[in-house]
Amino acid sequence: TIYDNGFEFTGVTTFTENVDIEGNLTIGGVLTYEDTTNIDSVGVITARAGINISGGNLQVGGTNVINSGRVLYNLEQIKLADAKELVLGSGNDLKIQHSGSHSFISQEGVGALKIKGDDIRFEDAGGNEALRLDSAGRLLLGTTTEGAVNADNFTVADSGNCGITIRSGTSNSGNLYFSDATSGTGEFDGAIAYEQTDNRMMFYTASTERLRITSTGDVGINCTPHSNAGINLHIHGDNTTSEIRLTNTTTGTGANGSYIQQG
């Protein structure tokens, strides 16, 4: 049917040549496109009720990796089903997925996984902060404020119990090392060590053991505590004498004061 202002098609209409429409085209039913060529839109295509892709691929920017600054605007959510990955990088380098029970961010390609920010904060599902790496490189656990001394690079705080646990295997040692910038990867300047084979604690300075506490509470300074029963404190000097000296504000730290000396 031909009207003064347009056409009305009541059946199947086939166009064998190009059709140019200068105004709007409104389709009240379903538009099915079954050709094998492309649909080329010069302007903007607006889908008011959604786009359903039941097969094939959705490609933006052709078949190449999107790298020209194309963005998606005004989206509230992008959803992927469980175990489906969001993959980034020309070599499938970065992958983000939820397995159904856990969430994963995986850097599987060349390079490092970098997280940038003035400071980096980790929160639980309720929004309670548990860990912070601030802009000065300080690590804060259970607190949002660094220690009393600004030079503290590691601060742990808790309203109840507070502690640090270093756990190792059943037959190995648990050690805490202190080192300066001149030490190598296998060297240390100070250390606190725990030996599980006999449950002893050792304290080191200048990479040398200075104090040892045995599992029974015996203490050895510059030596292994004497094994004889009843010897709870064993002090060994590097020179000809070993002594215990007691001083006060009057006697000072010099040779005065009361002392016990082994000569």
Side-chain angles (χ1 to χ4, degrees):
T1 303
I2 302 175
Y3 296 96
D4 292 339
N5 59 349
F7 297 89
E8 179 182 352
F9 303 100
T10 57
V12 176
T13 301
T14 302
F15 297 96
T16 59
E17 295 183 359
N18 296 334
V19 177
D20 295 328
I21 301 175
E22 296 181 357
N24 297 328
L25 174 62
T26 301
I27 301 174
V30 177
L31 173 63
T32 302
Y33 181 80
E34 297 180 350
D35 202 346
T36 57
T37 56
N38 297 326
I39 297 178
D40 186 7
S41 172
V42 178
V44 177
I45 298 176
T46 301
R48 298 183 180 181
I51 299 176
N52 185 1
I53 302 175
S54 60
N57 298 321
L58 173 63
Q59 296 179 340
V60 180
T63 58
N64 297 325
V65 176
I66 301 175
N67 56 8
S68 300
R70 297 178 177 87
V71 295
L72 300 175
Y73 290 101
N74 300 324
L75 292 181
E76 295 182 359
Q77 292 180 332
I78 297 178
K79 290 187 176 182
L80 294 177
D82 288 343
K84 303 299 182 181
E85 297 176 334
L86 175 63
V87 182
L88 304 175
S90 59
N92 299 335
D93 303 287
L94 177 64
K95 298 181 179 180
I96 303 175
Q97 68 152 315
H98 182 73
S99 66
S101 57
H102 302 287
S103 299
F104 299 90
I105 300 177
S106 175
Q107 166 61 32
E108 300 182 5
V110 178
L113 176 62
K114 297 183 179 181
I115 302 175
K116 293 185 178 182
D118 182 56
D119 56 26
I120 300 173
R121 306 177 185 183
F122 294 84
E123 299 179 352
D124 61 18
N128 300 309
E129 184 175 328
L131 183 148
R132 177 185 297 192
L133 181 62
D134 70 7
S135 58
R138 295 172 295 215
L139 181 63
L140 312 177
L141 296 176
T143 180
T144 59
T145 306
E146 70 276 4
V149 181
N150 289 333
D152 291 348
N153 291 326
F154 181 56
T155 302
V156 181
D158 187 33
S159 58
N161 297 324
C162 182
I164 301 173
T165 299
I166 300 176
R167 189 181 300 276
S168 61
T170 56
S171 60
N172 298 316
S173 300
N175 302 326
L176 179 61
Y177 294 106
F178 303 89
S179 179
D180 61 24
T182 61
S183 299
T185 56
E187 301 175 1
F188 61 91
D189 299 293
I192 302 173
Y194 173 72
E195 178 57 54
Q196 293 191 9
T197 56
D198 55 5
N199 297 314
R200 68 176 184 265
M201 290 287 298
M202 295 87 69
F203 296 82
Y204 292 77
T205 63
S207 303
T208 303
E209 182 183 335
R210 305 300 186 185
L211 185 147
R212 177 181 297 195
I213 304 175
T214 69
S215 60
T216 59
D218 294 337
V219 178
I221 300 177
N222 287 329
C223 66
T224 301
H226 201 283
S227 60
N228 291 342
I231 306 298
N232 301 121
L233 175 62
H234 185 181
I235 301 176
H236 177 75
D238 293 332
N239 48 31
T240 58
T241 62
S242 297
E243 64 183 39
I244 300 175
R245 179 166 300 183
L246 303 176
T247 60
N248 55 34
T249 56
T250 301
T251 57
T253 58
N256 296 323
S258 301
Y259 59 88
I260 302 173
Q261 183 181 67
Q262 171 67 38

